[in-house]
Amino acid sequence: MRQKIVAGNWKMNKNLEEAKQLIKGIKKGIKNTESDARVVIAPSFVNLNSAIKRSKKSKIEVAAQNMHQAKEGAFTGEVSASMLTNLGVNIVILGHSERREYFNEANDLLAKKVDAALKNNLEVVFCFGEQLEDRKSENHFKVVETQLKEGLFHLKKESFSKIILAYEPVWAIGTGETASPEQAQEMHAFIRGIMEKQYGTEVANAISILYGGSVKPANAKEIFSKPDVDGGLIGGAALKTEDFVAIINAI
Ligand code: PGA
């Protein structure tokens, strides 16, 4: 079922104590919220255990920011899907543009990670989006279509109940520059159209498509008001209690 979701990607920020404080603040801030959106936070691996404990008895769900595709083995420094589920994590973010850019994660690798996540019953927030040059050269639709095709289109229709899409134009991430609500809607409608062509109307209508890239309290309401925008993946503004709560309340 199509759901509204506000997810905070904390990236490599917040130590244990800071994470505790932020969760405490969010819990307090959303206690009386009227928003029916799912609220997700993605702290770093080392803070997942504590975040899960502290999010119990609240609507906050805890996601991981990445995982390795192998079941287990000699992969120093990596974390497997089953390690995440064993902790109580039920969502993983895959394909974030920072993973693609700084850690060379390409579509074929991401397809394997998606498979490993689904096999372990994790929901996947699958990120994709064009670079500035792609938009300038009007290649943005093509780039997005290829990312979806190569990362996800090997999946069967049934698997999409566990997939959340996150369109994040790279030029809008952490730059303060946001896609206009119209640009976001245009791309989200395009994405839903591709999903419909590939998997049919039911899957296309049921999938949640989040927007990410400099979402803040000041622009969240307008972006979320667009019919094909089902929520947001929030970076910088998810690190401040008031901002994140304001964004949740904007949906
Ligand atoms: P930002 O990051 O909100 O800081 O632009 C979004 C993201 O990287 O998911």
Side-chain angles (χ1 to χ4, degrees):
M1 196 191 65
R2 193 154 153 198
Q3 297 168 319
K4 292 179 183 171
I5 302 166
V6 177
N9 174 12
W10 293 5
K11 309 190 181 183
M12 199 172 72
N13 295 293
K14 304 287 177 191
N15 63 27
L16 181 61
E17 190 49 40
E18 291 163 343
K20 282 181 192 170
Q21 291 308 324
L22 185 50
I23 293 169
K24 199 169 155 193
I26 298 167
K27 266 169 94 167
K28 200 163 156 225
I30 63 172
K31 216 169 175 179
N32 300 313
T33 185
E34 286 176 3
S35 168
D36 57 355
R38 287 174 67 184
V39 175
V40 179
I41 56 169
S44 66
F45 285 133
V46 291
N47 292 328
L48 286 174
N49 197 20
S50 152
I52 284 164
K53 288 191 180 131
R54 275 158 208 283
S55 303
K56 288 222 169 94
K57 299 202 193 103
S58 83
K59 67 182 276 181
I60 300 173
E61 299 174 68
V62 179
Q65 298 174 18
N66 179 35
M67 50 160 254
H68 194 271
Q69 67 277 16
K71 195 170 159 223
E72 61 189 1
F75 300 101
T76 302
E78 292 292 328
V79 170
S80 71
S82 66
M83 288 174 185
L84 297 176
T85 53
N86 187 246
L87 277 187
V89 171
N90 57 351
I91 312 172
V92 62
I93 298 173
L94 293 176
H96 190 278
S97 66
E98 287 147 20
R99 299 295 318 170
R100 291 175 186 265
E101 186 173 347
Y102 307 137
F103 302 94
N104 298 322
E105 295 196 6
N107 295 330
D108 54 344
L109 171 70
L110 293 170
K112 293 190 187 118
K113 290 196 177 198
V114 168
D115 289 342
L118 294 178
K119 207 167 168 186
N120 284 276
N121 229 9
L122 283 160
E123 269 185 281
V124 173
V125 176
F126 186 79
C127 305
F128 54 94
E130 82 282 0
Q131 306 270 347
L132 185 58
E133 311 84 72
D134 301 323
R135 190 161 271 269
K136 280 189 175 154
S137 58
E138 292 181 7
N139 267 326
H140 46 302
F141 292 117
K142 186 93 217 100
V143 168
V144 161
E145 190 167 2
T146 305
Q147 288 171 325
L148 287 172
K149 216 182 249 173
E150 295 182 358
L152 294 180
F153 282 5
H154 62 289
L155 296 176
K156 294 210 178 82
K157 200 171 170 173
E158 299 71 56
S159 303
F160 279 86
S161 60
K162 286 265 180 195
I163 304 280
I164 296 158
L165 301 178
Y167 167 60
E168 299 204 301
V170 180
W171 49 273
I173 296 179
T175 58
E177 192 164 337
T178 327
S180 68
E182 291 69 32
Q183 284 173 321
Q185 170 56 27
E186 184 187 33
M187 185 58 91
H188 283 224
F190 173 75
I191 294 161
R192 213 177 289 285
I194 302 177
M195 291 303 300
E196 180 165 20
K197 210 158 60 184
Q198 190 71 17
Y199 290 102
T201 314
E202 208 179 313
V203 171
N205 284 342
I207 199 155
S208 299
I209 311 177
L210 314 185
Y211 168 80
S214 300
V215 176
K216 15 181 198 289
N219 59 25
K221 207 174 180 72
E222 219 192 328
I223 295 174
F224 294 161
S225 72
K226 294 296 175 194
D228 286 299
V229 178
D230 303 308
L233 183 55
I234 322 296
L239 300 174
K240 291 187 214 116
T241 308
E242 311 75 53
D243 287 0
F244 191 57
V245 170
I247 292 170
I248 294 163
N249 286 327
I251 199 163

mmCIF file with all atom_site columns, all heavy atoms in Angstrom, residues 7 9 11 93 96-98 127 168 172-177 212-216 233-238, ligand 1:
data_model
loop_
_atom_site.group_PDB
_atom_site.id
_atom_site.type_symbol
_atom_site.label_atom_id
_atom_site.label_alt_id
_atom_site.label_comp_id
_atom_site.label_asym_id
_atom_site.label_entity_id
_atom_site.label_seq_id
_atom_site.pdbx_PDB_ins_code
_atom_site.Cartn_x
_atom_site.Cartn_y
_atom_site.Cartn_z
_atom_site.occupancy
_atom_site.B_iso_or_equiv
_atom_site.pdbx_formal_charge
_atom_site.auth_seq_id
_atom_site.auth_comp_id
_atom_site.auth_asym_id
_atom_site.auth_atom_id
_atom_site.pdbx_PDB_model_num
ATOM   1   N N   . ALA A 1 7   ? 11.900 9.975  6.150  1.00 0.00 ? 7   ALA A N   1
ATOM   2   C CA  . ALA A 1 7   ? 13.065 9.213  6.612  1.00 0.00 ? 7   ALA A CA  1
ATOM   3   C C   . ALA A 1 7   ? 14.257 10.146 6.774  1.00 0.00 ? 7   ALA A C   1
ATOM   4   O O   . ALA A 1 7   ? 14.553 10.954 5.896  1.00 0.00 ? 7   ALA A O   1
ATOM   5   C CB  . ALA A 1 7   ? 13.388 8.106  5.609  1.00 0.00 ? 7   ALA A CB  1
ATOM   6   N N   . ASN A 1 9   ? 18.188 10.464 7.020  1.00 0.00 ? 9   ASN A N   1
ATOM   7   C CA  . ASN A 1 9   ? 19.473 9.809  6.761  1.00 0.00 ? 9   ASN A CA  1
ATOM   8   C C   . ASN A 1 9   ? 20.547 10.600 7.495  1.00 0.00 ? 9   ASN A C   1
ATOM   9   O O   . ASN A 1 9   ? 20.907 11.693 7.083  1.00 0.00 ? 9   ASN A O   1
ATOM   10  C CB  . ASN A 1 9   ? 19.730 9.807  5.237  1.00 0.00 ? 9   ASN A CB  1
ATOM   11  C CG  . ASN A 1 9   ? 21.105 9.282  4.890  1.00 0.00 ? 9   ASN A CG  1
ATOM   12  O OD1 . ASN A 1 9   ? 21.803 8.715  5.740  1.00 0.00 ? 9   ASN A OD1 1
ATOM   13  N ND2 . ASN A 1 9   ? 21.495 9.461  3.641  1.00 0.00 ? 9   ASN A ND2 1
ATOM   14  N N   . LYS A 1 11  ? 23.627 9.932  7.880  1.00 0.00 ? 11  LYS A N   1
ATOM   15  C CA  . LYS A 1 11  ? 24.970 9.827  7.282  1.00 0.00 ? 11  LYS A CA  1
ATOM   16  C C   . LYS A 1 11  ? 26.021 9.578  8.374  1.00 0.00 ? 11  LYS A C   1
ATOM   17  O O   . LYS A 1 11  ? 25.719 8.917  9.367  1.00 0.00 ? 11  LYS A O   1
ATOM   18  C CB  . LYS A 1 11  ? 25.270 11.071 6.446  1.00 0.00 ? 11  LYS A CB  1
ATOM   19  C CG  . LYS A 1 11  ? 24.139 11.360 5.450  1.00 0.00 ? 11  LYS A CG  1
ATOM   20  C CD  . LYS A 1 11  ? 24.447 12.400 4.432  1.00 0.00 ? 11  LYS A CD  1
ATOM   21  C CE  . LYS A 1 11  ? 23.232 12.586 3.526  1.00 0.00 ? 11  LYS A CE  1
ATOM   22  N NZ  . LYS A 1 11  ? 23.440 13.537 2.458  1.00 0.00 ? 11  LYS A NZ  1
ATOM   23  N N   . ILE A 1 93  ? 18.737 1.482  3.525  1.00 0.00 ? 93  ILE A N   1
ATOM   24  C CA  . ILE A 1 93  ? 18.877 2.425  2.407  1.00 0.00 ? 93  ILE A CA  1
ATOM   25  C C   . ILE A 1 93  ? 19.949 1.859  1.479  1.00 0.00 ? 93  ILE A C   1
ATOM   26  O O   . ILE A 1 93  ? 21.039 1.514  1.933  1.00 0.00 ? 93  ILE A O   1
ATOM   27  C CB  . ILE A 1 93  ? 19.318 3.823  2.918  1.00 0.00 ? 93  ILE A CB  1
ATOM   28  C CG1 . ILE A 1 93  ? 18.262 4.408  3.868  1.00 0.00 ? 93  ILE A CG1 1
ATOM   29  C CG2 . ILE A 1 93  ? 19.585 4.773  1.749  1.00 0.00 ? 93  ILE A CG2 1
ATOM   30  C CD1 . ILE A 1 93  ? 18.700 5.713  4.553  1.00 0.00 ? 93  ILE A CD1 1
ATOM   31  N N   . HIS A 1 96  ? 22.432 5.090  -2.214 1.00 0.00 ? 96  HIS A N   1
ATOM   32  C CA  . HIS A 1 96  ? 22.542 6.536  -2.008 1.00 0.00 ? 96  HIS A CA  1
ATOM   33  C C   . HIS A 1 96  ? 23.650 7.094  -2.903 1.00 0.00 ? 96  HIS A C   1
ATOM   34  O O   . HIS A 1 96  ? 24.663 6.429  -3.122 1.00 0.00 ? 96  HIS A O   1
ATOM   35  C CB  . HIS A 1 96  ? 22.832 6.840  -0.526 1.00 0.00 ? 96  HIS A CB  1
ATOM   36  C CG  . HIS A 1 96  ? 22.713 8.301  -0.235 1.00 0.00 ? 96  HIS A CG  1
ATOM   37  N ND1 . HIS A 1 96  ? 23.729 9.190  -0.493 1.00 0.00 ? 96  HIS A ND1 1
ATOM   38  C CD2 . HIS A 1 96  ? 21.683 9.037  0.245  1.00 0.00 ? 96  HIS A CD2 1
ATOM   39  C CE1 . HIS A 1 96  ? 23.317 10.407 -0.163 1.00 0.00 ? 96  HIS A CE1 1
ATOM   40  N NE2 . HIS A 1 96  ? 22.086 10.341 0.287  1.00 0.00 ? 96  HIS A NE2 1
ATOM   41  N N   . SER A 1 97  ? 23.480 8.297  -3.363 1.00 0.00 ? 97  SER A N   1
ATOM   42  C CA  . SER A 1 97  ? 24.450 8.848  -4.337 1.00 0.00 ? 97  SER A CA  1
ATOM   43  C C   . SER A 1 97  ? 25.859 8.937  -3.748 1.00 0.00 ? 97  SER A C   1
ATOM   44  O O   . SER A 1 97  ? 26.842 8.836  -4.473 1.00 0.00 ? 97  SER A O   1
ATOM   45  C CB  . SER A 1 97  ? 24.002 10.217 -4.836 1.00 0.00 ? 97  SER A CB  1
ATOM   46  O OG  . SER A 1 97  ? 24.040 11.143 -3.781 1.00 0.00 ? 97  SER A OG  1
ATOM   47  N N   . GLU A 1 98  ? 25.946 9.080  -2.416 1.00 0.00 ? 98  GLU A N   1
ATOM   48  C CA  . GLU A 1 98  ? 27.296 9.106  -1.806 1.00 0.00 ? 98  GLU A CA  1
ATOM   49  C C   . GLU A 1 98  ? 27.932 7.715  -1.855 1.00 0.00 ? 98  GLU A C   1
ATOM   50  O O   . GLU A 1 98  ? 29.144 7.588  -2.009 1.00 0.00 ? 98  GLU A O   1
ATOM   51  C CB  . GLU A 1 98  ? 27.205 9.645  -0.369 1.00 0.00 ? 98  GLU A CB  1
ATOM   52  C CG  . GLU A 1 98  ? 26.953 11.145 -0.368 1.00 0.00 ? 98  GLU A CG  1
ATOM   53  C CD  . GLU A 1 98  ? 26.096 11.639 0.787  1.00 0.00 ? 98  GLU A CD  1
ATOM   54  O OE1 . GLU A 1 98  ? 25.978 10.941 1.801  1.00 0.00 ? 98  GLU A OE1 1
ATOM   55  O OE2 . GLU A 1 98  ? 25.522 12.741 0.661  1.00 0.00 ? 98  GLU A OE2 1
ATOM   56  N N   . CYS A 1 127 ? 17.726 4.401  -3.640 1.00 0.00 ? 127 CYS A N   1
ATOM   57  C CA  . CYS A 1 127 ? 17.994 5.794  -4.049 1.00 0.00 ? 127 CYS A CA  1
ATOM   58  C C   . CYS A 1 127 ? 18.591 5.849  -5.448 1.00 0.00 ? 127 CYS A C   1
ATOM   59  O O   . CYS A 1 127 ? 19.382 4.989  -5.839 1.00 0.00 ? 127 CYS A O   1
ATOM   60  C CB  . CYS A 1 127 ? 18.995 6.440  -3.098 1.00 0.00 ? 127 CYS A CB  1
ATOM   61  S SG  . CYS A 1 127 ? 18.537 6.375  -1.373 1.00 0.00 ? 127 CYS A SG  1
ATOM   62  N N   . GLU A 1 168 ? 16.580 11.264 -5.719 1.00 0.00 ? 168 GLU A N   1
ATOM   63  C CA  . GLU A 1 168 ? 17.438 12.293 -5.133 1.00 0.00 ? 168 GLU A CA  1
ATOM   64  C C   . GLU A 1 168 ? 18.359 12.862 -6.199 1.00 0.00 ? 168 GLU A C   1
ATOM   65  O O   . GLU A 1 168 ? 19.416 12.280 -6.483 1.00 0.00 ? 168 GLU A O   1
ATOM   66  C CB  . GLU A 1 168 ? 18.283 11.690 -4.010 1.00 0.00 ? 168 GLU A CB  1
ATOM   67  C CG  . GLU A 1 168 ? 17.473 11.135 -2.877 1.00 0.00 ? 168 GLU A CG  1
ATOM   68  C CD  . GLU A 1 168 ? 18.271 11.093 -1.584 1.00 0.00 ? 168 GLU A CD  1
ATOM   69  O OE1 . GLU A 1 168 ? 19.329 10.437 -1.551 1.00 0.00 ? 168 GLU A OE1 1
ATOM   70  O OE2 . GLU A 1 168 ? 17.859 11.751 -0.634 1.00 0.00 ? 168 GLU A OE2 1
ATOM   71  N N   . ALA A 1 172 ? 21.050 18.403 -5.842 1.00 0.00 ? 172 ALA A N   1
ATOM   72  C CA  . ALA A 1 172 ? 20.250 19.007 -4.752 1.00 0.00 ? 172 ALA A CA  1
ATOM   73  C C   . ALA A 1 172 ? 20.632 18.458 -3.379 1.00 0.00 ? 172 ALA A C   1
ATOM   74  O O   . ALA A 1 172 ? 20.087 18.890 -2.373 1.00 0.00 ? 172 ALA A O   1
ATOM   75  C CB  . ALA A 1 172 ? 18.765 18.769 -5.019 1.00 0.00 ? 172 ALA A CB  1
ATOM   76  N N   . ILE A 1 173 ? 21.555 17.494 -3.336 1.00 0.00 ? 173 ILE A N   1
ATOM   77  C CA  . ILE A 1 173 ? 21.883 16.873 -2.049 1.00 0.00 ? 173 ILE A CA  1
ATOM   78  C C   . ILE A 1 173 ? 22.945 17.669 -1.306 1.00 0.00 ? 173 ILE A C   1
ATOM   79  O O   . ILE A 1 173 ? 24.061 17.848 -1.795 1.00 0.00 ? 173 ILE A O   1
ATOM   80  C CB  . ILE A 1 173 ? 22.362 15.415 -2.246 1.00 0.00 ? 173 ILE A CB  1
ATOM   81  C CG1 . ILE A 1 173 ? 21.206 14.584 -2.814 1.00 0.00 ? 173 ILE A CG1 1
ATOM   82  C CG2 . ILE A 1 173 ? 22.841 14.824 -0.926 1.00 0.00 ? 173 ILE A CG2 1
ATOM   83  C CD1 . ILE A 1 173 ? 21.563 13.145 -3.080 1.00 0.00 ? 173 ILE A CD1 1
ATOM   84  N N   . GLY A 1 174 ? 22.561 18.162 -0.139 1.00 0.00 ? 174 GLY A N   1
ATOM   85  C CA  . GLY A 1 174 ? 23.495 18.880 0.711  1.00 0.00 ? 174 GLY A CA  1
ATOM   86  C C   . GLY A 1 174 ? 23.970 20.203 0.135  1.00 0.00 ? 174 GLY A C   1
ATOM   87  O O   . GLY A 1 174 ? 24.915 20.810 0.634  1.00 0.00 ? 174 GLY A O   1
ATOM   88  N N   . THR A 1 175 ? 23.332 20.654 -0.914 1.00 0.00 ? 175 THR A N   1
ATOM   89  C CA  . THR A 1 175 ? 23.788 21.872 -1.587 1.00 0.00 ? 175 THR A CA  1
ATOM   90  C C   . THR A 1 175 ? 22.939 23.082 -1.227 1.00 0.00 ? 175 THR A C   1
ATOM   91  O O   . THR A 1 175 ? 23.303 24.206 -1.551 1.00 0.00 ? 175 THR A O   1
ATOM   92  C CB  . THR A 1 175 ? 23.685 21.702 -3.123 1.00 0.00 ? 175 THR A CB  1
ATOM   93  O OG1 . THR A 1 175 ? 22.318 21.394 -3.446 1.00 0.00 ? 175 THR A OG1 1
ATOM   94  C CG2 . THR A 1 175 ? 24.582 20.588 -3.616 1.00 0.00 ? 175 THR A CG2 1
ATOM   95  N N   . GLY A 1 176 ? 21.819 22.834 -0.591 1.00 0.00 ? 176 GLY A N   1
ATOM   96  C CA  . GLY A 1 176 ? 20.897 23.931 -0.299 1.00 0.00 ? 176 GLY A CA  1
ATOM   97  C C   . GLY A 1 176 ? 19.995 24.202 -1.495 1.00 0.00 ? 176 GLY A C   1
ATOM   98  O O   . GLY A 1 176 ? 18.989 24.892 -1.393 1.00 0.00 ? 176 GLY A O   1
ATOM   99  N N   . GLU A 1 177 ? 20.368 23.615 -2.624 1.00 0.00 ? 177 GLU A N   1
ATOM   100 C CA  . GLU A 1 177 ? 19.536 23.805 -3.815 1.00 0.00 ? 177 GLU A CA  1
ATOM   101 C C   . GLU A 1 177 ? 18.520 22.663 -3.890 1.00 0.00 ? 177 GLU A C   1
ATOM   102 O O   . GLU A 1 177 ? 18.884 21.491 -3.829 1.00 0.00 ? 177 GLU A O   1
ATOM   103 C CB  . GLU A 1 177 ? 20.423 23.764 -5.057 1.00 0.00 ? 177 GLU A CB  1
ATOM   104 C CG  . GLU A 1 177 ? 19.694 24.239 -6.269 1.00 0.00 ? 177 GLU A CG  1
ATOM   105 C CD  . GLU A 1 177 ? 20.660 24.560 -7.408 1.00 0.00 ? 177 GLU A CD  1
ATOM   106 O OE1 . GLU A 1 177 ? 21.837 24.831 -7.116 1.00 0.00 ? 177 GLU A OE1 1
ATOM   107 O OE2 . GLU A 1 177 ? 20.220 24.526 -8.547 1.00 0.00 ? 177 GLU A OE2 1
ATOM   108 N N   . GLY A 1 212 ? 14.308 13.441 -2.200 1.00 0.00 ? 212 GLY A N   1
ATOM   109 C CA  . GLY A 1 212 ? 15.392 13.838 -1.304 1.00 0.00 ? 212 GLY A CA  1
ATOM   110 C C   . GLY A 1 212 ? 16.312 14.852 -1.960 1.00 0.00 ? 212 GLY A C   1
ATOM   111 O O   . GLY A 1 212 ? 16.552 14.806 -3.172 1.00 0.00 ? 212 GLY A O   1
ATOM   112 N N   . GLY A 1 213 ? 16.806 15.770 -1.163 1.00 0.00 ? 213 GLY A N   1
ATOM   113 C CA  . GLY A 1 213 ? 17.708 16.811 -1.674 1.00 0.00 ? 213 GLY A CA  1
ATOM   114 C C   . GLY A 1 213 ? 17.308 18.154 -1.107 1.00 0.00 ? 213 GLY A C   1
ATOM   115 O O   . GLY A 1 213 ? 16.380 18.784 -1.601 1.00 0.00 ? 213 GLY A O   1
ATOM   116 N N   . SER A 1 214 ? 17.978 18.523 0.014  1.00 0.00 ? 214 SER A N   1
ATOM   117 C CA  . SER A 1 214 ? 17.764 19.821 0.651  1.00 0.00 ? 214 SER A CA  1
ATOM   118 C C   . SER A 1 214 ? 16.313 20.096 1.048  1.00 0.00 ? 214 SER A C   1
ATOM   119 O O   . SER A 1 214 ? 15.840 21.235 0.961  1.00 0.00 ? 214 SER A O   1
ATOM   120 C CB  . SER A 1 214 ? 18.301 20.948 -0.232 1.00 0.00 ? 214 SER A CB  1
ATOM   121 O OG  . SER A 1 214 ? 19.692 20.786 -0.447 1.00 0.00 ? 214 SER A OG  1
ATOM   122 N N   . VAL A 1 215 ? 15.613 19.046 1.484  1.00 0.00 ? 215 VAL A N   1
ATOM   123 C CA  . VAL A 1 215 ? 14.276 19.282 2.046  1.00 0.00 ? 215 VAL A CA  1
ATOM   124 C C   . VAL A 1 215 ? 14.460 19.907 3.427  1.00 0.00 ? 215 VAL A C   1
ATOM   125 O O   . VAL A 1 215 ? 15.290 19.463 4.218  1.00 0.00 ? 215 VAL A O   1
ATOM   126 C CB  . VAL A 1 215 ? 13.470 17.965 2.181  1.00 0.00 ? 215 VAL A CB  1
ATOM   127 C CG1 . VAL A 1 215 ? 12.122 18.231 2.847  1.00 0.00 ? 215 VAL A CG1 1
ATOM   128 C CG2 . VAL A 1 215 ? 13.278 17.311 0.825  1.00 0.00 ? 215 VAL A CG2 1
ATOM   129 N N   . LYS A 1 216 ? 13.704 20.964 3.692  1.00 0.00 ? 216 LYS A N   1
ATOM   130 C CA  . LYS A 1 216 ? 13.762 21.629 4.991  1.00 0.00 ? 216 LYS A CA  1
ATOM   131 C C   . LYS A 1 216 ? 12.355 22.079 5.382  1.00 0.00 ? 216 LYS A C   1
ATOM   132 O O   . LYS A 1 216 ? 11.441 22.001 4.549  1.00 0.00 ? 216 LYS A O   1
ATOM   133 C CB  . LYS A 1 216 ? 14.728 22.821 4.986  1.00 0.00 ? 216 LYS A CB  1
ATOM   134 C CG  . LYS A 1 216 ? 15.170 23.317 3.633  1.00 0.00 ? 216 LYS A CG  1
ATOM   135 C CD  . LYS A 1 216 ? 16.134 24.482 3.723  1.00 0.00 ? 216 LYS A CD  1
ATOM   136 C CE  . LYS A 1 216 ? 16.203 25.224 2.400  1.00 0.00 ? 216 LYS A CE  1
ATOM   137 N NZ  . LYS A 1 216 ? 16.890 24.476 1.349  1.00 0.00 ? 216 LYS A NZ  1
ATOM   138 N N   . LEU A 1 233 ? 13.324 11.841 1.872  1.00 0.00 ? 233 LEU A N   1
ATOM   139 C CA  . LEU A 1 233 ? 14.532 11.322 2.508  1.00 0.00 ? 233 LEU A CA  1
ATOM   140 C C   . LEU A 1 233 ? 15.352 12.564 2.860  1.00 0.00 ? 233 LEU A C   1
ATOM   141 O O   . LEU A 1 233 ? 15.764 13.320 1.978  1.00 0.00 ? 233 LEU A O   1
ATOM   142 C CB  . LEU A 1 233 ? 15.295 10.405 1.543  1.00 0.00 ? 233 LEU A CB  1
ATOM   143 C CG  . LEU A 1 233 ? 16.554 9.730  2.094  1.00 0.00 ? 233 LEU A CG  1
ATOM   144 C CD1 . LEU A 1 233 ? 16.271 8.942  3.363  1.00 0.00 ? 233 LEU A CD1 1
ATOM   145 C CD2 . LEU A 1 233 ? 17.152 8.786  1.046  1.00 0.00 ? 233 LEU A CD2 1
ATOM   146 N N   . ILE A 1 234 ? 15.548 12.755 4.157  1.00 0.00 ? 234 ILE A N   1
ATOM   147 C CA  . ILE A 1 234 ? 16.064 14.023 4.641  1.00 0.00 ? 234 ILE A CA  1
ATOM   148 C C   . ILE A 1 234 ? 17.481 13.843 5.182  1.00 0.00 ? 234 ILE A C   1
ATOM   149 O O   . ILE A 1 234 ? 17.708 12.974 6.025  1.00 0.00 ? 234 ILE A O   1
ATOM   150 C CB  . ILE A 1 234 ? 15.168 14.567 5.800  1.00 0.00 ? 234 ILE A CB  1
ATOM   151 C CG1 . ILE A 1 234 ? 13.668 14.298 5.548  1.00 0.00 ? 234 ILE A CG1 1
ATOM   152 C CG2 . ILE A 1 234 ? 15.437 16.038 6.081  1.00 0.00 ? 234 ILE A CG2 1
ATOM   153 C CD1 . ILE A 1 234 ? 13.068 14.973 4.368  1.00 0.00 ? 234 ILE A CD1 1
ATOM   154 N N   . GLY A 1 235 ? 18.403 14.670 4.759  1.00 0.00 ? 235 GLY A N   1
ATOM   155 C CA  . GLY A 1 235 ? 19.771 14.597 5.262  1.00 0.00 ? 235 GLY A CA  1
ATOM   156 C C   . GLY A 1 235 ? 19.996 15.632 6.354  1.00 0.00 ? 235 GLY A C   1
ATOM   157 O O   . GLY A 1 235 ? 19.641 15.431 7.521  1.00 0.00 ? 235 GLY A O   1
ATOM   158 N N   . GLY A 1 236 ? 20.558 16.757 5.983  1.00 0.00 ? 236 GLY A N   1
ATOM   159 C CA  . GLY A 1 236 ? 20.934 17.800 6.939  1.00 0.00 ? 236 GLY A CA  1
ATOM   160 C C   . GLY A 1 236 ? 19.854 18.165 7.939  1.00 0.00 ? 236 GLY A C   1
ATOM   161 O O   . GLY A 1 236 ? 20.106 18.254 9.151  1.00 0.00 ? 236 GLY A O   1
ATOM   162 N N   . ALA A 1 237 ? 18.640 18.335 7.458  1.00 0.00 ? 237 ALA A N   1
ATOM   163 C CA  . ALA A 1 237 ? 17.553 18.781 8.348  1.00 0.00 ? 237 ALA A CA  1
ATOM   164 C C   . ALA A 1 237 ? 17.081 17.677 9.295  1.00 0.00 ? 237 ALA A C   1
ATOM   165 O O   . ALA A 1 237 ? 16.319 17.949 10.225 1.00 0.00 ? 237 ALA A O   1
ATOM   166 C CB  . ALA A 1 237 ? 16.380 19.311 7.521  1.00 0.00 ? 237 ALA A CB  1
ATOM   167 N N   . ALA A 1 238 ? 17.542 16.439 9.061  1.00 0.00 ? 238 ALA A N   1
ATOM   168 C CA  . ALA A 1 238 ? 17.148 15.347 9.965  1.00 0.00 ? 238 ALA A CA  1
ATOM   169 C C   . ALA A 1 238 ? 18.032 15.309 11.204 1.00 0.00 ? 238 ALA A C   1
ATOM   170 O O   . ALA A 1 238 ? 17.789 14.548 12.130 1.00 0.00 ? 238 ALA A O   1
ATOM   171 C CB  . ALA A 1 238 ? 17.231 14.009 9.239  1.00 0.00 ? 238 ALA A CB  1
HETATM 172 P P1  . PGA B 2 .   ? 20.169 16.676 2.256  1.00 0.00 ? 1   PGA B P1  1
HETATM 173 O O1  . PGA B 2 .   ? 20.500 15.135 1.981  1.00 0.00 ? 1   PGA B O1  1
HETATM 174 O O2  . PGA B 2 .   ? 18.759 16.712 2.784  1.00 0.00 ? 1   PGA B O2  1
HETATM 175 O O3  . PGA B 2 .   ? 21.178 17.123 3.238  1.00 0.00 ? 1   PGA B O3  1
HETATM 176 O O4  . PGA B 2 .   ? 20.282 17.355 0.921  1.00 0.00 ? 1   PGA B O4  1
HETATM 177 C C1  . PGA B 2 .   ? 19.548 14.265 1.480  1.00 0.00 ? 1   PGA B C1  1
HETATM 178 C C2  . PGA B 2 .   ? 20.127 12.890 1.314  1.00 0.00 ? 1   PGA B C2  1
HETATM 179 O O5  . PGA B 2 .   ? 21.332 12.770 1.038  1.00 0.00 ? 1   PGA B O5  1
HETATM 180 O O6  . PGA B 2 .   ? 19.420 11.878 1.462  1.00 0.00 ? 1   PGA B O6  1
#
